[in-house]
Amino acid sequence: MSLDQDTVKRIAHLARLKLSEDRIQPMQEDLNRILHFIDQLNEVETGNTEAIAGVNTPAMPMREDK
């Protein structure tokens, strides 16, 4: 996926960013690099990967203070 300058201007408008004309091209390049990286991440096969233990576990149970 690649963004053109009109799309970058639209995104900037929706994000309430005031981008001058000389900042459109660098922003376009940055956003396209981000999207390219996301495409690379989507290519990684994670179907057989087990979930990391401890991410969704509740806090450690509290013991009685003696």
Side-chain angles (χ1 to χ4, degrees):
M1 177 180 209
S2 181
L3 300 176
D4 60 6
Q5 286 191 0
D6 290 333
T7 305
V8 172
K9 290 177 184 178
R10 178 78 175 138
I11 291 169
H13 173 75
L14 291 172
R16 305 289 193 257
L17 299 175
K18 292 183 180 179
L19 290 181
S20 59
E21 286 298 320
D22 61 329
R23 291 295 305 147
I24 298 293
Q25 180 67 29
M27 181 65 73
Q28 179 184 5
E29 293 169 1
D30 289 345
L31 290 173
N32 281 327
R33 272 196 297 274
I34 291 168
L35 291 174
H36 178 69
F37 181 69
I38 292 171
D39 285 340
Q40 287 180 324
L41 290 176
N42 286 333
E43 291 175 6
V44 176
E45 176 58 44
T46 59
N48 296 326
T49 306
E50 292 184 30
I52 298 174
V55 173
N56 293 325
T57 57
M60 296 294 292
M62 300 294 282
R63 63 178 174 83
E64 186 177 337
D65 194 16
K66 293 185 181 181

